[in-house]
Amino acid sequence: MSANYPIFYSFRRCPYAMRARLALVMAEREVELREVVLKDKPAELLKISPKGTVPVLFDTDQNVIEESLDIMLWAAEHHAIWQSLDEQQRKEAFILIEENDVSFKQALDRYKYADRYPEHSEQYYRQQGEQFLSKLEYRLNQQIGLMSDTLTLVDFAILPFVRQFALVNWDWFSNADYPRLQNWLNGFLQSDLFTQIMHKYPQWHSGDEIILFPAAPNQ
Ligand SMILES: N[C@@H](CCC(=O)N[C@@H](CS)C(=O)NCC(=O)O)C(=O)O
């Protein structure tokens, strides 16, 4: 039997899954959400995507999309958060997201779990991450979002990771010299959009009733 809705395997706190949920909400793409527990991944997920990461999207043509950025583009390629960017901005977008996903993510993991990486101090790893934060601050000094005066897919791809970085030591972050970045992050954390994507869903089990995401406003 073919699915009526694309199936979306998600994990609430995962920044990659968060960015995918942000694109789904912004572009109003409805999917069947299946909340995964990473230590207990469902066989249905591993069957379509043996690499075993979330998020994964299984569309109604049975295509498997197993990279969060590809899910964002699947959801939002015809929506203004992506459509409003011209070719040059899209090139820049991919470069910035790549920097987020590679060097900033590496610094974030080491900063967050500094005791597991004793070669350097927590402060050292934080400074590594700050190279990216400074770049973002510079961009936000020119405009409201990272690419333009509205938030685009690029902001949504990066916000969950900056949130994680800030949460490692909120006192440090909120007192650091990144006023635009603090505004940008706080605006996001206080938004209905954030509340919506952080809604708690129970672990999915085969046979459960379908949960649609984004949920209808009265649900
Ligand atoms: N490049 C992947 C990375 C996804 C990823 O690493 N997700 C983490 C959770 S945040 C995961 O599923 N890890 C597998 C595990 O911990 O078992 C993407 O962009 O979707």
Side-chain angles (χ1 to χ4, degrees):
M1 202 175 79
S2 67
N4 292 326
Y5 292 94
I7 295 169
F8 174 65
Y9 290 93
S10 187
F11 172 51
R12 181 173 178 270
R13 286 187 294 114
C14 168
Y16 300 99
M18 285 169 65
R19 63 155 59 143
R21 294 198 300 275
L22 286 166
L24 291 168
V25 172
M26 290 305 298
E28 298 176 55
R29 293 293 301 259
E30 209 168 40
V31 294
E32 175 190 339
L33 184 139
R34 295 182 175 179
E35 181 71 15
V36 169
V37 170
L38 293 178
K39 287 194 185 118
D40 183 22
K41 290 172 193 150
E44 289 82 352
L45 167 63
L46 295 172
K47 192 173 164 205
I48 58 164
S49 181
K51 78 178 172 115
T53 63
V54 288
V56 167
L57 189 121
F58 189 54
D59 77 9
T60 48
D61 295 326
Q62 319 228 318
N63 298 308
V64 180
I65 308 178
E66 51 188 357
E67 283 296 321
S68 55
L69 181 57
D70 293 332
I71 299 175
M72 293 189 87
L73 290 167
W74 172 90
E77 70 177 327
H78 301 299
H79 187 273
I81 61 168
W82 184 246
Q83 273 301 319
S84 63
L85 301 177
D86 63 28
E87 209 171 311
Q88 182 54 35
Q89 287 174 313
R90 288 177 188 194
K91 274 190 200 153
E92 263 178 58
F94 286 127
I95 292 170
L96 202 61
I97 294 172
E98 164 105 1
E99 187 172 347
N100 176 82
D101 290 11
V102 181
S103 55
F104 181 63
K105 173 71 166 106
Q106 194 190 72
L108 165 62
D109 289 344
R110 282 163 173 61
Y111 172 41
K112 195 169 166 192
Y113 304 110
D115 51 339
R116 295 185 203 164
Y117 301 94
E119 311 82 270
H120 296 287
S121 65
E122 179 182 310
Q123 201 188 2
Y124 172 90
Y125 296 126
R126 185 165 72 204
Q127 281 165 358
Q128 298 281 303
E130 282 194 78
Q131 294 174 16
F132 189 61
L133 298 190
S134 308
K135 221 174 248 191
L136 302 184
E137 177 72 16
Y138 177 79
R139 284 179 168 266
L140 295 170
N141 211 10
Q142 328 284 317
Q143 60 218 357
I144 289 165
L146 292 172
M147 301 303 299
S148 69
D149 265 333
T150 55
L151 298 187
T152 67
L153 185 141
V154 183
D155 300 86
F156 298 121
I158 293 175
L159 271 161
F161 295 84
V162 175
R163 169 180 174 268
Q164 268 200 354
F165 195 92
L167 287 177
V168 175
N169 182 343
W170 185 261
D171 273 353
W172 173 82
F173 181 78
S174 51
N175 289 303
D177 192 17
Y178 300 112
R180 306 285 175 169
L181 195 69
Q182 286 150 356
N183 264 345
W184 175 79
L185 179 63
N186 285 327
F188 171 60
L189 297 180
Q190 287 155 17
S191 67
D192 292 343
L193 176 61
F194 181 69
T195 308
Q196 199 173 348
I197 67 141
M198 293 310 278
H199 185 86
K200 284 187 184 161
Y201 294 99
Q203 178 181 8
W204 176 80
H205 297 282
S206 177
D208 280 356
E209 211 170 293
I210 287 179
I211 291 179
L212 291 181
F213 181 88
N218 59 351
Q219 281 182 326

